[in-house]
């Protein structure tokens, strides 16, 4: 988190230039950036819904979200213990 309403979103890739395709790495970086820009649109929309619906929102656990959902529960539990 950066502030109450913003956070940093880091991503990285690891690749090397192919001797027969020296421009390939540029294409990989461009495609990866495009993918994460698409994610930004979804993340921002999810955040707007979280703020609008607050506690009325429910979380649906699916396999790919298990880490994020688990982290959210841990933070909620820690905040509850502080109160």
């Amino acid at each position: 988190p950066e502030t109450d309403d913003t956070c940093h979103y880091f991503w990285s890739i690891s690749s090397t230039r192919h001797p027969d395709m020296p421009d390939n790495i540029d294409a990989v970086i461009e495609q990866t950036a495009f993918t994460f820009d698409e994610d930004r649109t979804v993340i921002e929309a999810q955040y707007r819904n979280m703020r609008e619906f607050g506690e009325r929102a429910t979380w649906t656990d699916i396999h790919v979200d298990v880490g994020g959902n688990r982290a959210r529960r841990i933070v909620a539990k820690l905040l509850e213990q502080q109160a």
Side-chain angles (χ1 to χ4, degrees), residues 22-79:
D23 295 334
N24 188 49
I25 190 72
D26 297 327
V28 169
I29 292 169
E30 182 180 316
Q31 292 167 0
T32 303
F34 178 80
T35 299
F36 280 91
D37 282 341
E38 284 183 325
D39 288 352
R40 177 195 331 235
T41 301
V42 172
I43 291 167
E44 288 173 349
Q46 288 173 330
Y47 181 67
R48 282 191 302 274
N49 282 337
M50 289 168 59
R51 290 188 53 95
E52 180 179 343
F53 297 107
E55 294 299 319
R56 294 177 294 153
T58 58
W59 298 103
T60 302
D61 291 342
I62 61 174
H63 177 72
V64 297
D65 293 332
V66 71
N69 288 338
R70 186 173 296 147
R72 205 173 357 267
R73 287 187 201 103
I74 290 169
V75 169
K77 184 177 180 179
L78 291 171
L79 290 171

